[in-house]
């Protein structure tokens, strides 16, 4: 691989990445330390950190976005600024785009398109998206990866390991090793656009009968490991519908619920990136009709037994069945559980499952702002674990938890009022581990993806 791939993980690129990350973040850290010394800490430093990370692009920015979505992990002003990164990343220029496209599709790459806009329509952490058309006129979205991202990933993940090791020393109640392992696995997968194309094909098959959720078509002949070409889906930003009627907002929220829970219950897979930029709303007859699911880099495929744990915990909480609750935690991989630790974990579980447990029309959380969703409960759990820990968060649990919080925040943005209990019951009706395992096996084989270990 390294002999033929000029962008494989290279020491020189990693060394340059260490230097750039250290210089950018180190400068901000010094200013933050001085501000703290003189009591002037706040949004200015948070904005400076976001600017430093956004200018770097790549996985360090992706990790910053992830940390910003974990409740109570960062001060609110830092979380707010870091969550802007994905939308505000500065794009690469036309000369860069021409070189990148030639390296992926060859010298005559432009002749393979009807048209190609060198100005990006969107810029993110690992790549940027360009509008194009196929030779038959069909509109396309071409996601082009930035150069040397593999080296950047390895350099940034090494620094993340150091940061997590420091976190473990300062916070002995939370063992972050599995969290770091999961983040590393998912970010490495996001580099592989051939895998992302298979994720999109998987979602297209699983959601083919759900009219309220649209999945773009993959164009394999115009895609490579670092270029992904999908059909363009017209849509508007979700937040643009925040002031629509409750009927419209509920329709969008119900489509979001389906987009997330249907693949999970049918194929043990979730869309793990809750950023609002990954969804748009499509309209029919001048009114919002559903959502477009746009990005498939951060997709988590679970062993069916993990889904069984989710169902068991739900049933256990619903029926106050302590044995079933404990079994669910053990299936997920929590170890050395005692009564006190179980009660602590249940604080979070009852919060996440709360809307699903009540058979009534309700909001996800009354009177809570989207950016504050889960922070009070996370603080309670953290404080309790400091007294009773340590606890190791299982690897599989990380993105499930993150995505659930992100989905709840979307519902809060929409101020939707739904009977989440009945929606969830419909998804797990007649649930069977054997049937789920069979369905998942067929779906993954059709998409060309390996089964989870």
């Amino acid at each position: 691989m390294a002999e033929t791939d000029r962008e494989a993980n290279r020491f020189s690129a990693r060394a340059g990445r260490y230097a750039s990350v250290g210089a950018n973040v180190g400068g901000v850290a010094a200013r933050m330390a001085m501000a703290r010394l003189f009591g002037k800490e706040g949004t200015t430093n948070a904005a400076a950190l976001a600017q430093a990370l956004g200018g770097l692009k790549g996985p360090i920015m992706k990790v910053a976005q992830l940390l910003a979505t974990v409740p109570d992990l960062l001060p609110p002003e830092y979380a707010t600024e870091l969550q802007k990164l994905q939308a505000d990343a500065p794009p690469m220029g036309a000369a860069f785009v021409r070189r990148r496209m030639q390296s992926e599709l060859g010298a005559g790459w432009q002749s393979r398109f009807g048209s190609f806009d060198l100005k990006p329509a969107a810029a993110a952490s690992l790549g940027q998206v360009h509008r194009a058309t196929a030779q038959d006129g069909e509109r396309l979205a071409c996601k082009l990866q930035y150069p040397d991202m593999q080296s950047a990933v390895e350099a940034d993940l090494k620094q993340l390991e150091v940061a997590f090791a420091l976190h473990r020393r300062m916070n002995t109640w939370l063992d972050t090793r599995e969290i770091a392992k999961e983040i590393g696995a998912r970010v490495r997968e996001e580099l592989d656009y051939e895998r992302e194309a298979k994720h999109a094909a998987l979602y297209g098959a699983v959601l083919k009968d759900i009219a309220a959720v649209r999945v773009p078509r993959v164009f394999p002949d115009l895609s490579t490991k670092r270029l992904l070409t999908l059909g363009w889906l017209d849509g508007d930003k979700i937040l643009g519908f925040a002031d629509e009627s409750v009927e419209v907002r509920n329709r969008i929220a119900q489509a979001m619920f389906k987009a997330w829970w249907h693949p999970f219950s049918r194929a043990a897979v979730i869309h793990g990136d809750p950023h609002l930029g990954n969804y748009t709303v499509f309209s029919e007859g001048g009114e919002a009709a559903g959502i477009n699911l746009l990005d498939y880099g951060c997709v988590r495929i679970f062993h069916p037994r993990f889904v069984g744990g989710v169902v068991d915990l739900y049933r256990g909480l619903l029926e106050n069945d302590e044995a079933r609750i404990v079994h669910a935690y053990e299936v997920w991989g929590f170890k050395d559980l005692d009564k006190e630790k179980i009660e602590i974990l249940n604080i979070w579980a009852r919060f996440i499952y709360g809307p699903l447990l009540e058979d009534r029309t309700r909001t996800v959380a009354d009177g809570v702002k989207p950016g504050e969703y889960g922070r009070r409960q996370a603080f309670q759990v953290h404080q309790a674990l400091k007294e009773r820990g340590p606890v190791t968060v299982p690897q599989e649990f990380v993105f499930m938890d993150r995505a659930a919080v992100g989905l709840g925040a979307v519902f809060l943005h929409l101020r939707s009022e739904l009977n989440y209990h009945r929606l969830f019951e419909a998804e797990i009706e007649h649930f069977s581990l054997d049937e789920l395992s069979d369905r998942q096996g067929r779906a993954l084989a059709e998409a060309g993806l390996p089964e989870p270990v």
Side-chain angles (χ1 to χ4, degrees):
M1 179 71 175
E3 294 178 1
T4 58
D5 189 347
R6 290 177 296 176
E7 292 186 27
N9 182 21
R10 297 181 295 116
F11 173 77
S12 59
R14 292 200 312 274
R17 183 69 175 182
Y18 287 133
S20 61
V21 170
N24 282 32
V25 180
V28 175
R31 292 199 299 276
M32 289 166 59
M34 290 297 292
R36 188 178 298 115
L37 181 64
F38 291 104
K40 297 181 179 179
E41 198 172 8
T43 55
T44 302
N45 291 322
L49 179 60
Q51 184 177 13
L53 292 175
L56 285 171
K57 298 183 179 295
I60 197 74
M61 193 170 91
K62 177 68 69 175
V63 169
Q65 294 161 9
L66 168 63
L67 296 179
T69 65
V70 178
D72 200 43
L73 194 61
L74 297 171
E77 64 269 18
Y78 286 86
T80 298
E81 288 296 328
L82 293 177
Q83 283 173 324
K84 298 176 183 177
L85 282 174
Q86 189 159 338
D88 294 344
M92 292 292 187
F96 154 82
V97 174
R98 290 191 185 93
R99 290 194 301 271
R100 295 297 291 167
M101 290 298 294
Q102 181 169 326
S103 68
E104 297 307 313
L105 294 180
W109 68 270
Q110 285 178 302
S111 65
R112 300 175 66 172
F113 295 91
S115 65
F116 189 97
D117 190 347
L118 294 172
K119 183 179 179 181
S125 52
L126 303 181
Q128 58 191 39
V129 178
H130 293 261
R131 291 177 181 265
T133 60
Q135 290 178 334
D136 64 0
E138 183 171 353
R139 291 179 301 159
L140 307 174
C142 299
K143 185 163 77 168
L144 185 61
Q145 191 174 118
Y146 301 130
D148 282 323
M149 280 295 99
Q150 186 176 353
S151 300
V153 159
E154 298 307 322
D156 288 2
L157 291 178
K158 184 63 67 176
Q159 296 207 18
L160 180 64
E161 288 178 13
V162 174
F164 273 130
L166 180 62
H167 187 276
R168 286 194 296 274
R169 291 183 183 180
M170 297 172 62
N171 301 283
T172 56
W173 51 273
L174 182 64
D175 189 334
T176 55
R177 281 173 290 192
E178 292 297 304
I179 297 175
K181 189 186 300 182
E182 177 71 0
I183 291 174
R186 301 286 79 76
V187 173
R188 288 185 179 100
E189 282 183 359
E190 285 201 59
L191 285 174
D192 187 352
Y193 287 1
E194 290 175 341
R195 183 183 178 93
E196 184 174 348
K198 294 174 182 178
H199 288 165
L202 172 65
Y203 264 76
V206 173
L207 291 167
K208 66 179 184 298
D209 296 324
I210 308 299
V213 184
R214 291 181 176 175
V215 176
R217 183 162 73 94
V218 178
F219 287 75
D221 293 343
L222 298 174
S223 300
T224 67
K225 188 177 178 63
R226 298 186 181 95
L227 169 67
L228 176 61
T229 300
L230 303 171
W232 186 275
L233 295 178
D234 281 323
D236 300 298
K237 293 180 179 180
I238 286 181
L239 292 184
F241 295 84
D243 295 323
E244 292 289 333
S245 68
V246 68
E247 290 80 12
V248 170
R249 288 184 276 114
N250 284 347
R251 192 180 307 134
I252 297 169
Q254 191 163 340
M256 285 292 299
F257 191 96
K258 273 286 186 184
W260 202 81
W261 281 110
H262 193 76
F264 186 72
S265 64
R266 296 302 187 276
V269 59
I270 62 166
H271 191 280
D273 193 344
H275 192 277
L276 286 170
N278 288 334
Y279 316 100
T280 58
V281 177
F282 69 83
S283 297
E284 292 179 347
E287 193 170 83
I291 67 159
N292 299 314
L293 193 52
L294 302 179
D295 190 284
Y296 299 85
C298 190
V299 164
R300 200 356 164 146
I301 302 171
F302 295 97
H303 191 282
R305 64 173 174 265
F306 185 88
V307 182
V310 170
V311 175
D312 277 333
L313 184 54
Y314 167 74
R315 296 292 186 202
L317 293 171
L318 192 66
E319 300 162 10
N320 200 25
D321 185 341
E322 185 174 347
R324 198 165 188 176
I325 291 171
V326 173
H327 174 69
Y329 289 139
E330 290 175 341
V331 165
W332 284 351
F334 284 98
K335 301 183 185 301
D336 302 322
L337 294 174
D338 56 32
K339 187 174 180 62
E340 290 184 355
K341 285 184 182 177
I342 291 166
E343 289 176 354
I344 294 169
L345 292 174
N346 282 348
I347 295 172
W348 189 247
R350 289 194 178 94
F351 163 69
I352 290 292
Y353 280 85
L356 308 180
L357 297 173
E358 296 188 12
D359 187 7
R360 66 181 179 90
T361 298
R362 53 164 286 177
T363 66
V364 165
D366 293 336
V368 176
K369 297 178 181 178
E372 297 174 359
Y373 184 67
R375 291 193 178 278
R376 181 170 62 85
Q377 291 78 9
F379 178 78
Q380 289 178 319
V381 172
H382 291 178
Q383 291 301 110
L385 287 176
K386 285 179 182 178
E387 298 177 6
R388 189 61 189 86
V391 66
T392 300
V393 178
Q395 183 176 343
E396 279 191 313
F397 183 77
V398 175
F399 274 80
M400 176 76 183
D401 188 48
R402 177 208 183 194
V405 172
L407 187 66
V410 174
F411 295 148
L412 287 177
H413 278 296
L414 290 169
R415 293 176 289 118
S416 53
E417 300 173 14
L418 297 170
N419 189 318
Y420 295 99
H421 171 79
R422 295 189 182 181
L423 290 173
F424 186 68
E425 283 283 346
E427 291 301 330
I428 63 169
E429 188 177 14
H430 309 306
F431 177 79
S432 162
L433 273 178
D434 289 338
E435 290 181 9
L436 173 59
S437 183
D438 289 343
R439 282 198 306 268
Q440 184 194 59
R442 291 194 300 271
L444 293 179
E446 185 178 341
L449 288 162
E451 293 191 23
V453 178

